[in-house]
């Protein structure tokens, strides 16, 4: 068994590999970019080495530098994780040339499966069913269009070098072909530097079902059953489960054989995934699935397989890479219960799934031993714009599919996330979708229901009351005398005070009637009923922003910008230094170096969570050391400027 392992990756997969390596007594060596200097995978590893600046091309994709570090650190093997260099045959080869073990298949197998057209040709020869289509090298546009006609619309144009759903276009009729071809080629060129495409029949009611396979150096190949990854958005997986709904022993056997044949045809070793597109229109059939591609690495969704087989796939990878034979042969492998994984991303589903960056000021998962969380970040860490915005994978196991889905919904709703947008509410709606639960779905399910699935949940009255109470408390009205209650429009009758309170609710300005009496605070809802805060809800204050968590959804409350005027705005200190109140983007700077300002003048404005926060001068003085500019990304507490007293 190898004794030391360099992990050429970051985030959750680096952390996940380190966990197993540690358990097996293997020394772990991390590498990191400048942006990841304090990342969890660096904190977890036995040793860590800097690769270079944040962009992947300057860090995690620098094959030469990684190999040099591995040599110097005495690593016996390199695990590439997924993404980055994991499917780079040259890197695998260079690793071996340098006398180290590449934890993955032989470079020749990576090459054979690297381009979708060549792979399909090879699979055809090996007797594996492939999607009907054209995968020749002639890329003449007229020829491609004629092939599309012969295959029969709808067709899919795919980049041969594609991955992650990029360079792919669905074409429903001939009229759309030219435009789709141009777009697919443009995208493929930009993403992969190769604009060759293939044309495929678009399978009706498509389901994505893949087989996890494993090979060893002795020529043994087994499969560890299937995963259904049909819930997709822009051809990318969102939720994955095992076993596949509707799978029969006969279809599994046929698919398992096809997958193992595919692996054997390229002399495969280690972990791999053979992806099939399945015609789900009449249930799963032995003649109703076709090879799409093979991913020659560990897959993002591998934990689902680990949960239904009770095996640790990273352990298998390390054993096989060390030259051991497969820990179990086909007959000894079995399935137990049902597992499902949801990918939690820093993105905004109600805004076109726009990725979101920022500091995770809250990150809490349900305290439940049955829930597996694979994450590369902890509370306080930053989701940077440089890499994939995945925050975590939430994986659960149940006796039945229903049980697993209910457990996943509960786990999602029991988590607390704040600081970036996230897709938790979207995922929770998805696992509770009626058709999905009824096992009646295909890869189009998300798109068909996109409006309902991504609608922003409306905060309940008790959430609003709790948020308003917390906002009021920011200005210490414990006895309801000072703070906001001192406002001119507040009135008092028999010890009961009432006022209209304006505030920002998820970025929208709203106003509510607020009352303070001997029972405490209540807020009038839209039906003129007084609502009390719900003490069971988790409330978090970060600077002058309040988050209320309910069922996995966070609602963001903030005072209106003019309120900052009364309080003096962002953090200020005796020496007049002005700090940025929260992580975000500078959208306006209304002063210049040397300007004379008066107390209450606006200094700058920062946008965070789609809300604007104006920061104003806490005292009269002169602007010095201006350190911010429009469009700059800033962090909570960054120095913005100093207001020096005018007489000094
Ligand atoms: P799957 O999601 O089924 O594992 P994909 O091919 O879609 O397969 O990609 C795997 C993951 O690898 C993606 O989720 C993405 O985060 C990551 N990834 C893919 N390509 C790159 C790349 N060039 N650089 C960094 N990460 C990548
Ligand atoms: P990538 O390398 O980007 O993962 P794939 O070839 O694996 O590309 O396809 C990605 C997704 O596109 C699949 O998971 C599936 O949902 C859809 N897809 C691919 N080929 C077909 C097809 N022939 N018919 C219908 N859907 C398809
Ligand atoms: Mg794929």
């Amino acid at each position: 068994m190898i004794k030391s392992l360099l992990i050429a990756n970051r985030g959750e997969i680096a952390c996940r590999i380190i966990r197993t390596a540690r358990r097996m007594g293997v020394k772990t060596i991390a590498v990191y970019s400048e942006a990841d200097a304090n990342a969890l995978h660096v904190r977890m590893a036995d040793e860590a080495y800097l690769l270079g600046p944040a962009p992947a091309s300057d860090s995690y994709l620098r094959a030469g530098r990684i190999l040099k570090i591995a040599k110097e650190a005495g690593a016996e093997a390199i695990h590439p994780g997924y993404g980055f260099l994991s499917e780079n045959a040259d890197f695998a080869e260079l690793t071996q040339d340098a006398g180290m073990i590449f934890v993955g298949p032989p470079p020749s197998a990576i090459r054979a499966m690297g381009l979708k057209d060549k792979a399909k040709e090879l699979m055809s020869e090996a007797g594996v069913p492939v999607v009907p289509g054209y995968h020749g090298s002639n890329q003449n546009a007229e020829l491609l269009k004629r092939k599309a006609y012969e295959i029969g619309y709808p067709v899919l144009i795919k980049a041969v070098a594609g991955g992650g759903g990029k360079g792919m276009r669905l074409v429903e009729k001939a009229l759309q072909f030219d435009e789709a071809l141009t777009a697919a080629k443009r995208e493929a060129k930009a993403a992969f530097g190769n604009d060759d495409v293939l044309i495929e029949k678009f399978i009706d009611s498509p389901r994505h079902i893949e087989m996890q396979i494993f090979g060893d150096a002795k020529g043994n190949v087994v499969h560890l059953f299937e995963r259904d990854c049909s819930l997709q958005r822009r051809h990318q997986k969102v939720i994955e489960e095992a076993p596949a709904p509707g799978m029969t022993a006969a279809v599994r056997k046929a698919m398992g054989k096809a997958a193992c044949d595919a692996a054997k045809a390229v002399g495969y070793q280690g972990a791999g995934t053979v992806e099939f597109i399945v015609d789900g229109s009449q249930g799963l059939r032995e003649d109703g699935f076709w090879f799409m591609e093979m991913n020659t690495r560990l897959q993002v969704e591998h934990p689902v397989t680990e949960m239904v087989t009770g095996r640790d796939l990273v352990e298998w990878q390390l054993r096989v890479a060390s030259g051991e034979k497969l820990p179990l042969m086909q007959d000894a492998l079995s399935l137990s219960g049902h597992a499902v994984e949801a990918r939690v991303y820093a993105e905004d589903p109600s805004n076109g799934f726009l990725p979101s960056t920022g500091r995770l000021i809250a990150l809490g998962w349900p305290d439940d031993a049955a829930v597996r969380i694979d994450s590369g970040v902890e509370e306080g860490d930053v989701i940077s714009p440089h890499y994939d915005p995945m925050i975590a994978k939430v994986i659960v196991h149940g006796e039945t599919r229903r049980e697993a889905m209910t457990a996943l919904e509960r786990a999602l709703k029991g988590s607390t996330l704040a600081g970036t947008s996230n897709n938790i509410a979207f995922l929770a709606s998805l696992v509770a979708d009626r058709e999905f639960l009824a096992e009646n779905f295909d890869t189009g399910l998300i798109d068909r229901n996109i409006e309902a699935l991504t609608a922003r949940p409306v905060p309940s009255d008790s959430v609003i009351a709790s948020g308003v109470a917390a906002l009021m408390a920011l200005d210490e009205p414990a006895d309801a005398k000072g703070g906001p209650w001192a406002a001119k429009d507040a009135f008092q009758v028999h010890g009961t005070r009432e006022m209209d309170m304006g505030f920002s609710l998820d970025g929208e300005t709203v106003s509510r009637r607020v009352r303070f009496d001997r029972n405490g605070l209540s807020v009038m809802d839209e039906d003129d009923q007084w609502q009390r805060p719900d003490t069971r809800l988790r409330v978090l204050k970060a600077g002058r922003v309040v988050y209320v968590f309910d069922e996995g959804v966070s609602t963001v409350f903030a005072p209106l910008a003019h309120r900052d005027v009364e309080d003096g705005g962002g953090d200020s200190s005796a020496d007049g230094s002005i700090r940025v109140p929260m992580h975000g983007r500078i959208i306006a700077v209304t002063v210049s170096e040397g300007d004379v300002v008066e107390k209450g003048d606006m200094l700058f404005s920062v946008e965070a969570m789609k809300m604007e926060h104006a920061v104003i001068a806490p005292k009269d003085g002169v602007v010095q050391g201006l350190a911010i500019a429009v469009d700059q990304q800033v962090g909570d507490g960054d120095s913005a400027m100093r207001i020096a007293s005018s007489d000094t």
Side-chain angles (χ1 to χ4, degrees):
M1 174 55 63
I2 52 167
K3 294 208 171 46
S4 57
L5 178 71
L6 181 137
I7 299 110
N9 216 300
R10 63 178 303 284
E12 67 89 15
I13 192 59
C15 298
R16 189 259 164 275
I17 294 164
I18 291 172
R19 269 193 296 275
T20 289
R22 168 135 324 132
R23 180 173 61 69
M24 295 174 71
V26 177
K27 180 168 105 176
T28 56
I29 304 161
V31 288
Y32 61 95
S33 70
E34 284 168 9
D36 281 342
N38 194 34
L40 186 59
H41 77 281
V42 175
R43 306 201 292 269
M44 281 175 69
D46 295 321
E47 290 172 17
Y49 298 89
L50 178 67
L51 287 172
S57 52
D58 296 332
S59 52
Y60 298 103
L61 289 172
R62 281 178 72 183
R65 175 138 179 89
I66 291 171
L67 289 167
K68 187 162 171 284
I69 290 173
K71 271 308 247 196
E72 284 171 11
E76 279 178 67
I78 298 183
H79 195 309
Y82 58 72
F84 298 125
L85 296 167
S86 63
E87 295 183 275
N88 184 318
D90 293 341
F91 178 69
E93 204 159 72
L94 288 168
T95 303
Q96 295 178 346
D97 291 350
M100 291 176 285
I101 295 169
F102 179 75
V103 182
S108 57
I110 302 179
R111 264 188 204 111
M113 291 296 186
L115 295 175
K116 292 185 205 288
D117 53 347
K118 299 281 176 316
K120 288 177 74 175
E121 230 159 86
L122 210 66
M123 291 302 107
S124 277
E125 288 162 19
V128 175
V130 302
V131 190
Y134 170 77
H135 30 85
S137 55
N138 189 334
Q139 293 287 306
N140 177 285
E142 279 312 306
L143 173 101
L144 292 174
K145 193 172 182 175
R146 196 169 66 242
K147 292 290 176 190
Y149 175 78
E150 286 166 18
I151 294 162
Y153 288 96
V155 300
L156 210 49
I157 302 176
K158 271 189 197 177
V160 300
K166 287 205 198 74
M168 202 179 294
R169 285 290 182 285
L170 170 63
V171 195
E172 319 239 27
K173 43 182 189 277
L175 213 59
Q176 305 164 336
F177 188 85
D178 299 337
E179 207 182 311
L181 180 66
T182 312
K185 280 190 172 278
R186 195 186 325 114
E187 202 170 291
K189 186 84 196 168
F192 315 109
N194 175 350
D195 69 357
D196 281 3
V197 296
L198 57 82
I199 317 281
E200 246 176 45
K201 176 81 192 151
F202 183 78
I203 302 301
D204 211 29
S205 305
R207 285 199 24 210
H208 173 121
I209 302 182
E210 57 187 32
M211 297 302 281
Q212 174 70 52
I213 65 99
F214 241 100
D216 66 18
K218 318 226 165 12
N220 300 304
V221 177
V222 298
H223 70 80
L224 286 86
F225 314 102
E226 78 280 359
R227 292 181 289 255
D228 190 318
C229 313
S230 299
L231 287 191
Q232 300 187 348
R233 191 181 62 78
R234 291 203 202 111
H235 307 298
Q236 290 203 57
K237 301 157 189 166
V238 177
I239 286 188
E240 304 102 345
E241 62 178 306
M247 182 57 85
T248 64
V251 175
R252 180 175 291 134
K253 193 164 169 219
M255 213 182 253
K257 178 176 184 306
C260 291
D261 286 350
K264 283 177 192 151
V266 296
Y268 205 84
Q269 292 173 34
T273 295
V274 182
E275 295 188 335
F276 295 101
I277 193 78
V278 177
D279 175 354
S281 60
Q282 286 149 47
L284 306 184
R285 289 177 290 111
E286 283 161 80
D287 60 352
F289 64 86
W290 299 272
F291 173 89
M292 267 194 301
E293 65 164 343
M294 179 166 188
N295 292 324
T296 52
R297 54 169 162 85
L298 194 65
Q299 201 95 335
V300 176
E301 58 274 20
H302 76 278
V304 159
T305 299
E306 297 189 319
M307 281 197 148
V308 288
T309 59
R311 310 292 147 199
D312 180 332
L313 297 195
V314 173
E315 177 182 340
W316 278 44
Q317 282 191 300
L318 297 179
R319 290 197 180 286
V320 166
S322 302
E324 291 182 22
K325 122 175 188 303
L326 285 173
L328 290 173
M329 291 302 149
Q330 197 69 58
D331 292 345
L333 285 160
S334 63
L335 270 174
S336 155
H338 203 97
V340 57
E341 169 184 285
R343 300 187 188 194
V344 176
Y345 279 95
E347 63 182 15
D348 184 0
S350 60
N351 188 15
F353 294 90
L354 203 70
S356 170
T357 58
R359 188 176 297 280
L360 294 165
I361 59 171
L363 183 62
W365 304 107
D367 187 16
D368 181 346
V371 178
R372 170 172 167 181
I373 305 292
D374 278 21
S375 179
V377 286
E378 292 179 329
E379 190 165 285
D381 287 349
V382 169
I383 300 292
S384 83
H386 306 292
Y387 316 105
D388 191 280
M390 187 154 79
I391 297 172
K393 304 185 300 204
V394 179
I395 314 113
V396 300
H397 183 268
E399 288 297 312
T400 62
R401 182 171 192 265
R402 215 19 112 103
E403 218 179 279
M405 295 306 162
T406 309
L408 178 57
E409 191 186 350
R410 199 178 335 114
L412 290 166
K413 289 185 168 177
S415 49
T416 47
L417 257 97
T420 68
S421 305
N422 69 71
N423 65 343
I424 295 247
F426 167 71
L427 293 171
S429 317
L430 204 47
V431 282
D433 180 271
R434 232 167 359 107
E435 293 199 301
F436 178 60
L437 286 180
E439 307 191 357
N440 176 23
F441 63 98
D442 60 40
T443 60
L445 183 131
I446 292 180
D447 279 343
R448 282 194 297 274
N449 302 298
I450 195 77
E451 295 282 326
L453 290 169
T454 58
R456 240 210 95 82
V458 179
S460 69
D461 293 322
S462 59
V463 164
I464 293 178
S466 303
V468 169
L471 277 185
M472 302 288 284
L474 288 177
D475 298 316
E476 25 107 49
D479 57 356
K481 289 209 179 80
W485 300 102
K488 283 188 286 296
D489 58 348
F491 71 90
Q492 177 182 5
V493 190
H494 305 312
T496 298
R497 291 154 196 269
E498 274 189 29
M499 67 178 284
D500 286 319
M501 161 99 176
F503 55 96
S504 156
L505 172 69
D506 282 335
E508 308 268 329
T509 299
V510 297
S511 176
R512 288 294 167 97
R513 191 100 191 130
V514 185
R515 180 166 82 181
F516 193 91
D517 57 25
R518 64 191 143 74
N519 294 321
L521 185 129
S522 44
V523 178
M524 190 179 274
D525 67 19
E526 281 167 325
D527 301 320
D528 295 345
Q529 301 296 313
W530 289 105
Q531 294 284 343
R532 293 214 175 272
D534 184 341
T535 51
R536 287 165 310 175
L537 296 176
R538 178 163 176 218
V539 175
L540 178 90
K541 293 172 198 174
R544 297 184 57 74
V545 175
V546 167
Y547 299 86
V548 180
F549 298 95
D550 185 21
E551 305 257 277
V553 177
S554 64
T555 305
V556 191
F557 297 79
L560 293 180
H562 81 266
R563 293 279 318 288
D564 286 357
V565 176
E566 293 162 11
D567 306 314
D571 294 344
S572 60
S573 58
D575 71 345
S577 67
I578 307 289
R579 300 192 174 276
V580 174
M582 63 210 351
H583 191 100
R585 187 174 64 93
I586 300 293
I587 52 170
V589 180
T590 45
V591 293
S592 312
E593 185 75 20
D595 276 4
V596 175
V597 294
E598 285 179 19
K599 178 177 176 178
D601 283 354
M602 180 171 153
L603 301 174
F604 66 95
S605 192
V606 53
E607 181 190 56
M609 308 297 292
K610 284 190 257 144
M611 289 183 296
E612 292 182 27
H613 302 270
V615 173
I616 53 103
K619 59 175 187 176
D620 296 354
V622 179
V623 174
Q624 289 184 351
L626 186 65
I628 49 166
V630 171
D631 265 349
Q632 188 180 329
Q633 290 290 336
V634 286
D636 186 3
D638 285 359
S639 171
M641 66 188 75
R642 218 157 58 80
I643 305 296
S645 299
S646 346
D647 50 339
T648 55

